[in-house]
Amino acid sequence: MEEINNIEVVPCTESDYLKPFRVHYNQNGTKKSWDFMRTHDSVSVLIFNTTSHCFILVKQFRPAVYMCEWERNKTQPPQSAEKTEEGAAEAAVPESQEGQSASEKEGSSAWPPASAGITYELCAGLVDKPNCSLEEIARQEVLEECGYDVPASKLKRITSYRSGVGVTGAKQTMFYAEVSDDNCVSAGGGEPREGELIEVVKVPLHEAMTFAYDERIPKTMGVIFSFIWFHNNMSPKYKISTNV
């Protein structure tokens, strides 16, 4: 997953997923304009394994995150050797960067390590099947990405919200699914024909909130929100602390 090379950035003139537009409008008598992107709505699923009392997340490489880190590092002035040593002593080395080769470290001034683009996320997918309900799309994503076969009727709708409101304004609908080891029918990993390369990750229930608030772990807001939702709504059922 973390072997990234032959990087080339080119203009995006046509896409099946993103359509750029510019809207002109008047607001309270002031003429304004705004650039936005039309894209698909999506679903996400908080998966809780009742056999092992752990959450099932997905871990994958996100090019947009990677390029943002590259841009950010380009504009930052180099740290002094003294500050770098202090920071290294205080911060834990992320697991994804362990074993980084000398050649990767030497090339970090041009491109960051692939781990800079790795994020932990809820199982999720685009709403791009007009003949399927949101529950059915969510069920398919759970099966493809995480390997659990769960009936659509067993998915509990948590809420829906707008994501990327400054750029896309797309709607994401979040579901909750309880699974057991008996529901696991494959290793998951996504759909190779669609270019997906996904690692299934388990987060123990008692470590959930520590995981959510650890800024060293790159994750989406959906992970944080869903863990808080679980703590507020589901934890009493299992009588286990989520370590808040």
Side-chain angles (χ1 to χ4, degrees):
M1 178 184 292
E2 297 182 17
E3 183 181 341
I4 306 297
N5 48 42
N6 298 329
I7 300 170
E8 182 182 5
V9 181
V10 299
C12 179
T13 57
E14 185 176 345
S15 171
D16 292 333
Y17 305 101
L18 305 173
K19 306 293 182 184
F21 293 91
R22 175 169 295 165
V23 58
H24 301 283
Y25 61 100
N26 285 351
Q27 184 177 16
N28 296 342
T30 301
K31 185 178 292 186
K32 296 183 176 183
S33 64
W34 194 270
D35 297 339
F36 71 98
M37 200 79 68
R38 183 182 297 163
T39 185
H40 292 286
D41 290 340
S42 60
V43 296
S44 61
V45 188
L46 173 63
I47 306 171
F48 181 66
N49 187 314
T50 58
T51 305
S52 54
H53 279 199
C54 66
F55 295 106
I56 309 297
L57 302 182
V58 296
K59 176 183 172 184
Q60 54 188 319
F61 176 80
R62 291 298 195 182
V65 174
Y66 182 82
M67 295 308 299
C68 283
E69 285 298 306
W70 175 66
E71 289 284 353
R72 189 167 63 88
N73 290 336
K74 274 201 315 179
T75 59
Q76 285 184 343
Q79 289 183 314
S80 67
E82 187 174 305
K83 288 185 177 180
T84 303
E85 289 176 6
E86 289 176 0
E90 294 175 0
V93 177
E95 182 180 346
S96 56
Q97 294 184 15
E98 291 180 359
Q100 188 178 2
S101 67
S103 60
E104 286 175 319
K105 291 178 181 178
E106 291 171 0
S108 62
S109 59
W111 296 105
S115 57
I118 298 295
T119 59
Y120 293 83
E121 310 169 19
L122 297 180
C123 171
L126 298 178
V127 177
D128 55 1
K129 302 177 180 68
N131 297 324
C132 294
S133 67
L134 294 179
E135 288 79 5
E136 181 58 30
I137 292 175
R139 187 199 74 82
Q140 292 176 13
E141 294 297 336
V142 171
L143 180 60
E144 290 178 6
E145 294 190 358
C146 301
Y148 292 91
D149 190 0
V150 183
S153 60
K154 296 294 185 181
L155 290 167
K156 174 184 175 65
R157 185 174 179 140
I158 297 177
T159 190
S160 63
Y161 46 86
R162 297 288 178 176
S163 60
V165 292
V167 180
T168 70
K171 179 184 286 188
Q172 182 167 98
T173 303
M174 181 181 290
F175 293 93
Y176 171 65
E178 290 189 351
V179 302
S180 69
D181 288 348
D182 293 336
N183 299 121
C184 189
V185 297
S186 74
E191 179 53 70
R193 289 175 297 179
E194 298 177 4
E196 292 183 321
L197 183 59
I198 293 171
E199 180 181 335
V200 179
V201 178
K202 296 182 178 180
V203 178
L205 177 59
H206 67 277
E207 298 177 6
M209 298 309 293
T210 300
F211 182 94
Y213 287 108
D214 189 340
E215 295 185 27
R216 297 169 299 179
I217 303 174
K219 69 190 76 67
T220 62
M221 189 61 205
V223 172
I224 300 172
F225 170 77
S226 63
F227 281 8
I228 294 173
W229 173 88
F230 185 96
H231 171 75
N232 291 336
N233 294 273
M234 306 301 295
S235 284
K237 174 180 176 181
Y238 295 100
K239 296 182 175 61
I240 295 178
S241 170
T242 48
N243 196 23
V244 176

